[in-house]
Amino acid sequence: MHNTEVYILSGFLGSGKTTLLKRLLENERLLGRKTAVMMNELGKVSIDSEVARDEDIALKELLGGCICCSIQDKLEAQLQGLLINEKPEVIYIETTGAAHPVEVLDAILSPLFADQFTIKGIVTTVDGLRWRDRKAVGPQLQQLLLEQVRHADFILMNKMDELSESEQAKIIFEIQGINPVARCLFTNFSQVAIDELRKLTLSFDKKTSSSFSKKALNLTTFVYQFQGPISHVEFEEFLMDLPEMIYRIKGYVKFDASSKPYLFQYSYGMPFYMKEEMNLPLNLVLIGENIYWSEIEAKLKKLENDFKIQTEK
């Protein structure tokens, strides 16, 4: 099955996300790929983006809330609708300026369809002037700016023509100190060679390899597909043993071959279970930073094998 590429456009308000989106959509039109856009605005009225209103582009707008909190359920429903009805080859998700990258990834990766996505990466636009003067804003906003940079896979430093050379040098030093892994480009009006963005690959797969594990830096995601039930006690032991840098887990797990699965969610070290009324795909979606997923995969496989051995006795 062909996976749909997903690009997440992150960055603070007014930093150049929409301008970048327009450039990307113009490029998609040239490529002739089936494209969808999800725009997330905090207000009740969306921005007027003529490019995204092209008849060949499926546009979904999520208004009146942030992807990562108040409208997460709506996002899941719309994404599922897009995959079923439009079958796009690529989806661009433009987040609100107030969105945290981890929360956005968490919102997008529903266990119902996470295995149908290839997450290409998080592209963050940074307003050079705002970055320079960030100490003037409140601590929460400062923290958000730092987080958007820290979790990016590709960073566009915009409005560089308005900064002196020494200011530019200081900014690149600061950005690379926070995120030494991401590609960082100085731009004006989000002018970037689109081919550079196309090279992005966020390591996200149902299968991991040892070579991938060694390169697993920054924010990465992993989907594990259970073939059957596992022991609840052993699953809890697995959770207790998880590295701190696994931020989120969600999915469906079965603890008994004859019963329905549980919806499982894990955040900030806290597990949550809710019994489901019907059988759902036993996918587990994990999001973490600097994680060797092959080690996690081996532990999950062992859980399945152990349960199988115990029930066959």
Side-chain angles (χ1 to χ4, degrees), residues 100 137-150:
H100 188 293
V137 301
Q140 281 182 305
L141 217 51
Q142 283 187 48
Q143 188 59 33
L144 179 64
L145 284 168
L146 291 175
E147 292 289 309
Q148 287 178 339
V149 164
R150 189 163 82 90

Side-chain angles (χ1 to χ4, degrees), residues 67-287:
I67 273 179
C68 42
C69 33
S70 56
I71 54 171
Q72 190 159 342
D73 292 347
K74 198 192 294 183
L75 173 82
E76 187 172 305
Q78 292 206 354
L79 272 174
Q80 196 164 20
L82 268 180
L83 288 170
I84 293 166
N85 302 321
E86 307 289 342
K87 298 181 177 59
E89 292 170 82
V90 58
I91 301 174
Y92 291 97
I93 298 177
E94 185 186 347
T95 65
T96 69
H100 188 293
V102 176
E103 311 283 351
V104 173
L105 258 185
D106 183 40
I108 294 165
L109 294 175
S110 162
L112 294 174
F113 47 71
D115 56 337
Q116 295 175 48
F117 285 153
T118 297
I119 306 282
K120 291 289 283 181
I122 298 169
V123 182
T124 296
T125 52
V126 178
D127 178 330
L129 294 172
R130 184 180 286 279
W131 181 268
R132 183 194 66 186
D133 303 331
R134 68 188 183 284
K135 296 285 193 291
V137 301
Q140 281 182 305
L141 217 51
Q142 283 187 48
Q143 188 59 33
L144 179 64
L145 284 168
L146 291 175
E147 292 289 309
Q148 287 178 339
V149 164
R150 189 163 82 90
H151 293 297
D153 300 290
F154 201 105
I155 300 166
L156 295 187
M157 295 297 304
N158 265 322
K159 305 185 185 177
M160 284 296 114
D161 57 356
E162 296 179 48
L163 296 170
S164 67
E165 279 187 25
S166 62
E167 285 173 331
Q168 290 179 14
K170 185 171 185 284
I171 284 173
I172 197 75
F173 181 75
E174 290 170 347
I175 296 282
Q176 288 180 336
I178 295 161
N179 185 343
V181 181
R183 179 88 192 273
C184 185
L185 289 182
F186 280 173
T187 59
N188 294 302
F189 305 104
S190 298
Q191 286 173 318
V192 58
I194 302 296
D195 290 352
E196 294 297 314
L197 288 176
R198 298 278 178 239
K199 292 174 191 169
L200 268 179
T201 47
L202 181 65
S203 302
F204 165 86
D205 207 343
K206 289 171 283 181
K207 298 175 181 60
T208 54
S209 66
S210 54
S211 60
F212 151 68
S213 293
K214 290 181 180 65
K215 291 184 286 188
L217 289 163
N218 231 350
L219 205 57
T220 54
T221 63
F222 174 59
V223 178
Y224 185 83
Q225 293 178 314
F226 288 110
Q227 302 306 307
I230 55 173
S231 157
H232 196 157
V233 174
E234 286 187 21
F235 186 59
E236 285 287 331
E237 287 169 0
F238 161 78
L239 295 175
M240 298 274 284
D241 200 31
L242 281 176
E244 272 182 29
M245 301 300 268
I246 288 186
Y247 300 129
R248 296 278 194 282
I249 306 175
K250 60 182 175 182
Y252 298 100
V253 285
K254 255 188 182 185
F255 300 119
D256 178 356
S258 58
S259 67
K260 299 288 188 287
Y262 284 86
L263 167 66
F264 171 73
Q265 298 202 41
Y266 173 93
S267 183
Y268 302 107
M270 294 292 292
F272 168 80
Y273 300 90
M274 191 172 80
K275 190 83 165 140
E276 287 292 341
E277 297 303 315
M278 58 187 198
N279 280 314
L280 291 153
L282 300 177
N283 289 336
L284 203 62
V285 182
L286 302 96
I287 300 172

